[in-house]
Amino acid sequence: MDVEGQNSNHQNQDATPLMSKGLRRVLIVLNCVLMALGNTGGPLLLRLYYRSGGKRQWLSSWLLTGGWPLIFLPLLITYLNRRRRCQLRPANRHPAKLFFITLRLFLACAFLGLLTGLDDFLYAYGLSFLPVSTSSLLISTQLAFTAFFAFLIVKQKFTPYSINSVALLTVGAAILGLHASSDRPDNVTKSEYYMGFILTLGAAVLFALILPLVELMYAKSKQAITYTLVMEMQLVMGFFATAFCTVGMLANKDFQAIPREARHSDGGESRYYVILVWNAVVWQSFSLGTVGIIFCVNTLLAAVLISVFIPVTEVLAVVFFKENFSSEKGVALALSLWGLASYSYGEYRQEKAKKDKAAPSDQVA
């Protein structure tokens, strides 16, 4: 599990060995699965909380990062593995390190965690007034904002294929927007609907800023970035994001309201608490998958995958919440798949070009 990062933009090249291609692919697939689970299931579970009678915005925002203690389990496994390896080397007098994060990285993660907490609140508050389809539409705009911030902050290079992918996904979001005005829930006023619209759009912009800041943190870390360290960093970010929302819960007296809300919840108390627990678990998988994709590849791919999964969420909302599946949603789904194919083909072309360029030098050597 103590695997090393491959992307030289993320770390000090002199200090960090490269991971094998096979291991890198396994990590990419694993983090894509985690992101897919969280990106499609998270909004549905959060909306289910509101549809079941939940009305606490600070509590719902807390759930987006409240599952951070789950990361202790894989971290414990990696620590025991390190300690076992050290014991097998009698000549090694140094005990296994308990953690790798430095004070510099800890402070950076704490700052990003607070930003994440604010982003969670904006998103959860906005979703309380919007259907899943409209909320997902607005969150999809983060791709364009992420591309802009990634260019400014981490000097992300664009290829014709990645530009085409961003364009297709952006057009898909615009097409989805054509039906947004007819999606206002019956129990939501027009002013509340527009408030949710603005809050969710603000959450998309802030999230688009956080993604390249995570990549910048990797690049400026001045130490080898391993996947174990990535989990430690996500643990710190999750803790401070949850602490931010906990303060809001205390001020809003959400802790006292939870038992009362559970008693009046549709489906009973047990179902209410199950929804809360699964919200925390699924959203934590999304957070870990996102930082893992940034670690293994780059910020832009994380943003592209988030946008690709949005039409899937739309389809699931139709299945579980009986939301309308219009022709605009079908076109958006096709454009999203086309955008992912474009990005994937561009990455394949880049890797092939690197191999072809390296081949002559290998033959000479």
Side-chain angles (χ1 to χ4, degrees):
M1 291 293 290
D2 298 324
V3 292
E4 311 299 335
Q6 166 143 338
N7 193 330
S8 60
N9 293 330
H10 292 170
Q11 47 213 274
N12 185 336
Q13 293 178 340
D14 296 332
T16 306
L18 300 180
M19 75 166 78
S20 67
K21 290 182 180 179
L23 184 55
R24 179 171 178 263
R25 288 170 184 165
V26 169
L27 283 177
I28 291 175
V29 171
L30 173 62
N31 284 289
C32 283
V33 171
L34 290 174
M35 180 182 283
L37 176 64
N39 203 37
T40 56
L44 297 173
L45 285 169
L46 195 59
R47 187 61 192 167
L48 180 60
Y49 162 76
Y50 288 122
R51 289 171 66 97
S52 300
K55 298 179 180 179
R56 317 303 295 189
Q57 285 89 5
W58 278 110
L59 169 61
S60 56
S61 63
W62 186 95
L63 295 173
L64 270 64
T65 53
W68 63 269
L70 294 173
I71 303 179
F72 275 120
L73 179 59
L75 284 177
L76 175 62
I77 294 173
T78 59
Y79 169 71
L80 294 176
N81 186 45
R82 287 197 305 273
R83 192 172 69 172
R84 181 182 60 82
R85 292 204 307 264
C86 288
Q87 292 173 347
L88 293 176
R89 300 171 187 169
N92 187 2
R93 299 180 179 178
H94 300 286
K97 294 188 68 173
L98 184 60
F99 56 86
F100 294 99
I101 193 168
T102 62
L103 178 60
R104 174 190 178 92
L105 273 180
F106 180 87
L107 295 176
C109 290
F111 172 72
L112 289 179
L114 294 175
L115 285 183
T116 301
L118 175 59
D119 182 66
D120 292 343
F121 176 70
L122 294 176
Y123 173 75
Y125 203 170
L127 186 59
S128 66
F129 301 129
L130 300 176
V132 174
S133 56
T134 305
S135 177
S136 298
L137 152 71
L138 294 173
I139 290 298
S140 70
T141 61
Q142 58 82 28
L143 178 62
F145 293 119
T146 299
F148 174 72
F149 288 130
F151 176 75
L152 291 180
I153 296 174
V154 294
K155 310 302 179 185
Q156 176 72 54
K157 294 181 180 180
F158 290 93
T159 67
Y161 301 100
S162 61
I163 293 174
N164 183 53
S165 178
V166 171
L168 288 170
L169 291 166
T170 303
V171 170
I175 291 175
L176 275 175
L178 295 176
H179 79 285
S181 59
S182 63
D183 270 357
R184 180 162 59 90
D186 296 334
N187 60 339
V188 174
T189 66
K190 185 174 292 187
S191 60
E192 289 176 335
Y193 179 85
Y194 286 122
M195 179 187 296
F197 201 93
I198 294 171
L199 289 172
T200 307
L201 187 61
V205 175
L206 184 55
F207 187 72
L209 175 62
I210 291 172
L211 289 181
L213 286 177
V214 170
E215 185 171 352
L216 180 65
M217 179 173 61
Y218 291 164
K220 301 295 184 181
S221 62
K222 296 184 178 180
Q223 70 180 101
I225 301 294
T226 66
Y227 195 65
T228 298
L229 180 58
V230 169
M231 289 191 291
E232 291 178 2
M233 294 160 69
Q234 177 57 35
L235 182 74
V236 175
M237 291 172 61
F239 171 80
F240 278 93
T242 306
F244 178 89
C245 295
T246 300
V247 173
M249 289 183 66
L250 290 171
N252 202 42
K253 298 182 179 180
D254 280 6
F255 288 105
Q256 296 92 319
I258 289 175
R260 182 173 65 252
E261 196 172 70
R263 287 193 298 270
H264 295 89
S265 174
D266 296 341
E269 291 186 52
S270 298
R271 183 172 180 266
Y272 175 86
Y273 289 116
V274 168
I275 291 173
L276 295 189
V277 171
W278 276 108
N279 259 289
V281 172
V282 170
W283 279 111
Q284 188 56 50
S285 74
F286 169 74
S287 299
L288 188 56
T290 301
V291 297
I293 288 295
I294 296 174
F295 161 73
C296 293
V297 189
N298 56 41
T299 298
L300 188 58
L301 178 60
V304 167
L305 289 176
I306 290 170
S307 296
V308 165
F309 292 133
I310 283 173
V312 179
T313 307
E314 299 266 353
V315 173
L316 294 175
V318 171
V319 174
F320 293 108
F321 297 148
K322 308 303 180 183
E323 295 185 6
N324 294 326
F325 189 82
S326 62
S327 58
E328 291 90 348
K329 292 181 181 180
V331 173
L333 176 59
L335 289 176
S336 296
L337 295 175
W338 185 6
L340 177 60
S342 176
Y343 182 87
S344 301
Y345 182 69
E347 288 294 301
Y348 166 77
R349 288 286 299 268
Q350 278 191 319
E351 289 296 324
K352 188 175 184 300
K354 289 179 182 178
K355 290 180 181 178
D356 293 343
K357 187 176 181 180
S361 61
D362 292 340
Q363 293 174 359
V364 172

